[in-house]
Amino acid sequence: MSIGIILAKQVAVITLLMAVGIFAKKRGILNLAAAKNISDFVLIVITPMLMLQIILEDFAVEKFRELGIGMVVAAIFHLMAIGVTKLLIRPDPSGIHNLERFGAICSNAGFMGLPLMVAVLGPEGRVHSAAFLTVMTVYFWTHGLMLIKGDKGVSAKEILTAPGIVGLAAGLAIFFLGIRLPEPAMHTIDYLASMNTPLPTIITGVFVADLDFKKAFTNLRAYWAVAVRLLVLPCVFILLLWLLRVPYWLPGGGTIALAAVISCCCTCAANTVMMPVSYGGDVQHGASLVVMSMLGSLVTIPLVATVAEMVFL
């Protein structure tokens, strides 16, 4: 199945889930207070379960070399993206630039990136996705949280006790200690982790329901942030991986590089809405970034993935 068809299907699912949120908001089933409570639930409960699921199901000792290199490559992307977004997304007195930088750096590498990687790379794509998502989770709850909170500041304790970091630490401990969780526990983790896509997307729809589309689609800052997310960062990343000769680091290095590019070129993560809801910020602007990037990705993801495939394979 082609990347374009898979992408169109994923965008269709996201659109329908958002429509559920819009419907719930318009009919008074969900209000903004309820949306915040659900957002907190996702960040505090669902996020750790997702990390546990990724580590317990996709990490494997025989694949640990590939996982390690994949994490290094993912770390290179996030470090590069921090520098590039600071350079290209100019500060604004309102502080909105922090959310734009967050949205530009954080991609929807799970729901959108994983199916694309499996389609291009086969079952091995899950391993590469796990590597990228692990590093992205660390980013979310460190520099990403600092961006969202802005002048409020973030303490070391807040980072170390952040839900995603706790889930990651617990998962790694279980993995390295060789602990086998009972089947009911694994099923519970799977059920909770499966909520990671529908709930955030529905909550995004709740805020899209109140979105001023004329204002959103005439906001030049939003267009630029989305362009940085979908085109600038992936292209710079491709160039950087080529200069670092990542495809030659180990057999299959080209596949690792391609997988990382696919992960990083997806739409703005749902956390572009969820984090401002829970920690304060312009939620409407976050929602507009998600919607605009979703539309733009229909053109940019096939283009970027094709270029990366030509360069690395």
Side-chain angles (χ1 to χ4, degrees):
M1 191 179 296
S2 72
I3 288 177
I5 294 174
I6 295 169
L7 177 61
K9 287 184 176 180
Q10 296 304 96
V11 169
V13 172
I14 290 175
T15 303
L16 291 171
L17 286 171
M18 280 190 185
V20 172
I22 293 170
F23 174 80
K25 176 63 167 62
K26 295 294 187 182
R27 292 297 298 269
I29 300 169
L30 287 175
N31 57 25
L32 298 184
K36 184 185 185 308
N37 290 338
I38 296 173
S39 176
D40 291 342
F41 174 75
V42 170
L43 293 175
I44 294 170
V45 177
I46 304 304
T47 298
M49 295 301 105
L50 177 66
M51 288 313 305
L52 281 172
Q53 183 192 54
I54 288 171
I55 293 171
L56 297 180
E57 293 187 4
D58 295 320
F59 275 35
V61 174
E62 61 271 18
K63 289 288 185 180
F64 211 72
R65 189 183 181 195
E66 288 86 348
L67 279 165
I69 296 298
M71 288 182 192
V72 169
V73 171
I76 289 171
F77 168 75
H78 286 89
L79 290 172
M80 174 275 294
I82 290 170
V84 172
T85 54
K86 190 170 184 178
L87 180 68
L88 296 183
I89 298 179
R90 56 186 173 80
D92 185 85
S94 68
I96 198 66
H97 60 282
N98 285 328
L99 179 59
E100 292 169 346
R101 290 172 181 174
F102 180 91
I105 294 170
C106 300
S107 76
N108 194 346
F111 178 71
M112 193 162 281
L114 177 57
L116 294 175
M117 275 197 278
V118 170
V120 175
L121 306 174
E124 188 181 355
R126 288 191 62 88
V127 176
H128 300 306
S129 177
F132 193 91
L133 288 170
T134 298
V135 174
M136 190 171 72
T137 297
V138 174
Y139 173 79
F140 271 154
W141 297 102
T142 52
H143 184 264
L145 183 59
M146 293 177 192
L147 282 178
I148 294 298
K149 296 196 73 173
D151 295 337
K152 299 174 187 176
V154 180
S155 67
K157 179 181 178 181
E158 196 170 2
I159 290 174
L160 292 174
T161 58
I165 301 299
V166 171
L168 176 61
L172 290 174
I174 293 170
F175 175 78
F176 283 114
L177 292 173
I179 299 171
R180 293 181 62 86
L181 295 181
E183 190 173 332
M186 287 301 302
H187 284 321
T188 301
I189 290 171
D190 288 342
Y191 282 131
L192 288 170
S194 68
M195 298 181 192
N196 187 66
T197 292
L199 284 181
T201 311
I202 289 170
I203 294 308
T204 299
V206 171
F207 290 97
V208 169
D210 293 331
L211 189 63
D212 183 339
F213 282 92
K214 182 178 180 181
K215 180 181 178 182
F217 284 92
T218 55
N219 186 337
L220 296 181
R221 289 192 65 100
Y223 279 104
W224 179 234
V226 168
V228 172
R229 158 99 297 279
L230 296 178
L231 283 174
V232 177
L233 289 180
C235 289
V236 173
F237 190 41
I238 290 172
L239 177 61
L240 184 57
L241 295 184
W242 180 76
L243 291 173
L244 292 172
R245 297 178 62 80
V246 170
Y248 304 101
W249 285 7
L250 78 168
T255 300
I256 292 173
L258 174 60
V261 171
I262 292 174
S263 291
C264 86
C265 74
C266 297
T267 62
C268 295
N271 272 3
T272 310
V273 174
M274 304 287 285
M275 295 288 265
V277 170
S278 293
Y279 292 97
D282 191 335
V283 181
Q284 291 294 308
H285 192 54
S288 69
L289 293 176
V290 171
V291 172
M292 292 171 69
S293 66
M294 185 175 69
L295 296 174
S297 70
L298 290 169
V299 175
T300 60
I301 292 180
L303 176 63
V304 170
T306 300
V307 171
E309 195 170 8
M310 291 171 60
V311 171
F312 298 128
L313 296 184

